[in-house]
Amino acid sequence: INAEYMGVLENHHCASTFELMKNPKFDLLQSLTTDQRKEVRDTILEMVLATDMGNHTKIYQTFRRRLSDDPDWQRRDDVRLALSIAIKMADVSNCGRPQPLYLEWARKIAEEFYNQGDAERKLHYGISPFMDRLKHKTDFSKGQMSFMNYIVIPLFEAGAEFVPDLDWTVQRIQENKLYWQKREEAVSAMGELLMMG
């Protein structure tokens, strides 16, 4: 596994895991045949790489196309595609948690982003979008809504189309997005009042 260009962290995680598994004490796959080990290893690698947001559009569009095709999801590629969507959903699932838990995770993720922005500022780099601590009041809610609108909601709608019992997750995400919309409206109304007064 080469962590050269795409999915640097994801490749590193896989490489580290498989390196650890060279030690018999940590080799969870030792009872499998060589072919089974290769299949499991390839599946794990594909699943972890699916969490790289650089691959999101390709995986999502492939899944959407596949949903409109033959409903028989028996081929290995189909199973891996469904697993990729499942792990992608798990990776961004915070937006579908009950609101207090979601808000706590959103703050933690924002702090991680702001730490990166702080490092970029310190190195005199351009600060990545939504990672500027100084723009928290104006960007945080917009960033959350954009992430939900362009990534999370379409992904979960596709997942719920595949597994209809997941439909409740889309509703929960919509409720959390509504929180930010109301907050934005309140901030906007407050700004208008201040300008008038």
Side-chain angles (χ1 to χ4, degrees):
I1 299 171
N2 189 349
E4 256 185 88
Y5 304 109
M6 292 294 292
V8 174
L9 287 175
E10 293 81 2
N11 273 298
H12 172 72
H13 294 149
C14 287
S16 297
T17 299
F18 294 124
E19 187 64 32
L20 269 174
M21 290 173 63
K22 287 181 181 178
N23 180 332
K25 191 163 85 173
F26 301 116
D27 188 359
L28 304 173
L29 308 178
Q30 61 187 310
S31 64
L32 301 179
T33 67
T34 302
D35 287 344
Q36 290 170 327
R37 289 172 67 89
K38 182 180 179 341
E39 178 69 22
V40 169
R41 183 184 185 282
D42 290 350
T43 302
I44 290 170
L45 184 58
E46 190 168 330
M47 297 308 95
V48 174
L49 291 177
T51 65
D52 178 2
M53 289 307 289
N55 296 324
H56 174 77
T57 301
K58 177 183 163 211
I59 294 168
Y60 171 75
Q61 288 176 346
T62 301
F63 187 70
R64 291 297 307 165
R65 275 192 305 274
R66 186 63 187 91
L67 280 174
S68 63
D69 289 346
D70 176 27
D72 181 32
W73 284 69
Q74 300 299 315
R75 295 186 330 247
R76 179 186 329 164
D77 289 349
D78 291 337
V79 171
R80 284 191 179 169
L81 180 58
L83 289 171
S84 292
I85 290 298
I87 200 161
K88 289 180 73 47
M89 290 173 70
D91 194 39
V92 298
S93 66
N94 289 325
C95 296
R97 296 183 189 276
Q99 196 166 87
L101 188 56
Y102 157 67
L103 292 173
E104 181 61 28
W105 275 105
R107 282 190 277 281
K108 289 177 186 286
I109 291 167
E111 186 59 32
E112 181 181 326
F113 283 6
Y114 295 153
N115 288 341
Q116 178 176 326
D118 294 346
E120 291 170 345
R121 180 177 283 109
K122 190 174 183 176
L123 294 169
H124 305 289
Y125 292 166
I127 298 174
S128 300
F130 303 112
M131 296 193 182
D132 190 343
R133 184 181 307 277
L134 303 178
K135 294 182 179 178
H136 174 81
K137 287 185 179 178
T138 58
D139 285 2
F140 186 59
S141 57
K142 289 178 184 147
Q144 288 297 302
M145 287 189 294
S146 292
F147 185 60
M148 288 182 198
N149 283 331
Y150 298 109
I151 301 293
V152 181
I153 292 171
L155 180 63
F156 275 74
E157 285 174 340
E161 187 177 330
F162 186 63
V163 180
D165 286 346
L166 293 176
D167 195 48
W168 65 271
T169 60
V170 177
Q171 181 60 38
R172 174 74 54 77
I173 294 163
Q174 293 285 7
E175 290 166 8
N176 286 332
K177 186 179 89 168
L178 185 59
Y179 168 87
W180 295 113
Q181 287 173 326
K182 287 180 178 179
R183 190 170 165 158
E184 278 289 298
E185 290 167 7
V187 167
S188 179
M190 184 69 86
E192 288 175 21
L193 284 174
L194 290 173
M195 291 189 63
M196 291 170 53

